[in-house]
Amino acid sequence: MLAAYVESPNFDDPLSALVVGERPDPVVPEGWSLVRIKAASLNRHDIWTLQGISQHPLTMPITLGCDGAGTLDDGSEVLLYPAMTTAGWCGDETLDNYSVFSELYNGTQADYVVVPDRNIIAKPASMSFATAASLGTAWLTAYRMLFTKSQLRPGMTMLIQGASGGVSTALIQMGRAAGMTVWVTGRSAEKRAHAEALGAHQTFPPGETLPRRVDAVFETVGEATWAHSLASLRRGGTMVLAGMTSGNDPAANIATIFIEQITIAGSVLGTLEEMRNLIDFVVTADITPTVGLSLPLEDAVAGYRDMWADKTNGKIVFTR
Ligand SMILES: NC(=O)c1ccc[n+]([C@@H]2O[C@H](COP(=O)([O-])OP(=O)(O)OC[C@H]3O[C@@H](n4cnc5c(N)ncnc54)[C@H](OP(=O)(O)O)[C@@H]3O)[C@@H](O)[C@H]2O)c1
């Protein structure tokens, strides 16, 4: 089968580690199912994998891709919940030593993927495969950040650091639909204009002082925006933290955190229940995740190249 995979990670030049080529068809273990992939989306996580960065030891070669949608043998249309728990785990999946596709098990950027049966969710008939493949990692993470972790209520003001990425665009679209005042930083006028077209009420260049301090900041950028995020929060506000794309070494500014009584809420992915709630929310609120680039899997290199060059505009999707 065709797959995008990595055989020899390269930290400094991750694109050189990407192979799009033939891999053996998968064997289906007991309690798992074979999904014929129709669409798989790209996440920053795939760049980390090409660099050899992973929560779990990687066995090479490994097929890339955390998210996907496709069909089962009987033709039913499905999408995938990305977190796989350890045997016997009950409760919040994100509190387990879970893995996502492309860590311990092969990923979704291929003709076929095998998945535990509990990770299979029926795709709403009205939803495209590209939308369904976008709802995994980035949108689920954004959903939990916004609705489970942020303590925001409709009418409050949120600041999203970063305008154009998968998590950022999901936060913009869902925040707007949920009745928040949505403020966004973006690194170019084009990215800020795109965020406004998606529903942001106001946008700002990175680091610009805001008209007033906000109720919650959504932080996935890390080092480059950390100081601005802390300075932008009102007393008693919440920083929801789910990533560090630009680096892991900010000056913590401990005094500001306790004097301003800031809650720092770490967040990863979401539970299976949150995934089901997310699907219902986007259907009910009539939200279509922004897909900036859709390519056949054969041309996956071009999608990876765009993400590595920070040229994202919502999700990047590979189709079959
Ligand atoms: N905790 C979790 O479970 C979880 C789940 C998903 C993702 N994440 C993390 O969240 C982050 C975003 O993931 P993604 O898939 O949305 O990635 P992505 O599509 O590549 O988006 C990257 C985002 O980072 C922003 N950014 C701002 N300043 C940056 C800088 N100096 N360097 C690099 N990027 C900068 C970009 O904003 P501009 O629009 O201004 O370019 C863009 O919005 C990653 O770190 C990822 O690992 C965590």
Side-chain angles (χ1 to χ4, degrees):
M1 66 170 184
L2 188 71
Y5 66 96
V6 54
E7 192 142 27
S8 307
N10 186 322
F11 183 83
D12 295 319
D13 184 11
L15 296 192
S16 71
L18 174 62
V19 185
V20 181
E22 286 298 312
R23 291 214 61 201
D25 285 349
V27 176
V28 188
E30 185 70 30
W32 293 48
S33 294
L34 184 75
V35 177
R36 185 189 186 97
I37 290 291
K38 296 280 194 190
S41 70
L42 179 63
N43 290 284
R44 186 59 69 153
H45 186 281
D46 299 304
I47 302 281
W48 308 141
T49 309
L50 290 172
Q51 291 183 301
I53 301 168
S54 174
Q55 291 196 94
H56 297 277
L58 296 169
T59 304
M60 299 293 166
I62 187 106
T63 300
L64 296 153
C66 305
D67 303 324
T71 55
L72 300 178
D73 280 348
D74 65 3
S76 49
E77 298 182 344
V78 300
L79 62 97
L80 303 181
Y81 169 62
M84 286 169 284
T85 51
T86 54
W89 178 263
C90 294
D92 184 331
E93 290 85 352
T94 68
L95 300 180
D96 182 32
N97 187 27
Y98 70 91
S99 70
V100 295
F101 296 103
S102 75
E103 290 180 339
L104 297 177
Y105 305 101
N106 282 308
T108 55
Q109 291 169 14
D111 284 322
Y112 298 99
V113 63
V114 289
V115 304
D117 288 340
R118 81 179 298 274
N119 287 68
I120 295 172
I121 300 175
K123 180 179 81 60
S126 60
M127 186 179 280
S128 72
F129 283 106
T131 290
S134 299
L135 288 184
T137 306
W139 276 72
L140 177 60
T141 300
Y143 183 92
R144 182 176 175 90
M145 292 172 81
L146 179 58
F147 295 114
T148 308
K149 298 282 186 165
S150 75
Q151 306 182 52
L152 287 183
R153 294 185 300 281
M156 289 181 153
T157 301
M158 59 192 284
L159 174 69
I160 302 159
Q161 296 285 16
S164 67
V167 177
S168 296
T169 51
L171 284 166
I172 295 167
Q173 291 186 257
M174 287 194 283
R176 178 71 190 226
M180 312 302 171
T181 297
V182 180
W183 290 357
V184 179
T185 65
R187 287 180 291 173
S188 68
E190 190 187 356
K191 288 176 183 229
R192 294 192 291 275
H194 179 68
E196 286 170 21
L198 280 184
H201 294 92
Q202 266 185 274
T203 59
F204 308 89
E208 187 167 295
T209 303
L210 304 179
R212 64 173 188 281
R213 295 198 290 171
V214 302
D215 299 297
V217 176
F218 293 78
E219 178 57 88
T220 60
V221 177
E223 198 171 325
T225 50
W226 180 262
H228 180 251
S229 292
L230 281 181
S232 301
L233 271 171
R234 69 157 165 83
R235 189 158 282 196
T238 303
M239 160 114 69
V240 193
L241 178 60
M244 47 173 196
T245 309
S246 66
N248 186 29
D249 194 22
N253 206 341
I254 293 166
T256 297
I257 294 170
F258 74 81
I259 291 168
E260 297 296 326
Q261 299 190 59
I262 288 167
T263 299
I264 298 187
S267 197
V268 291
L269 287 177
T271 63
L272 181 57
E273 187 185 5
E274 286 167 327
M275 181 91 190
R276 293 185 190 283
N277 294 155
L278 162 66
I279 293 164
D280 288 345
F281 180 58
V282 297
V283 170
T284 308
D286 200 17
I287 297 171
T288 304
T290 308
V291 175
L293 184 63
S294 177
L295 297 164
L297 181 62
E298 287 84 347
D299 300 331
V301 174
Y304 275 84
R305 202 182 293 132
D306 273 10
M307 181 169 277
W308 183 236
D310 290 332
K311 286 203 274 177
T312 46
N313 175 6
K315 294 295 293 177
I316 295 170
V317 173
F318 304 132
T319 57
R320 295 304 291 145

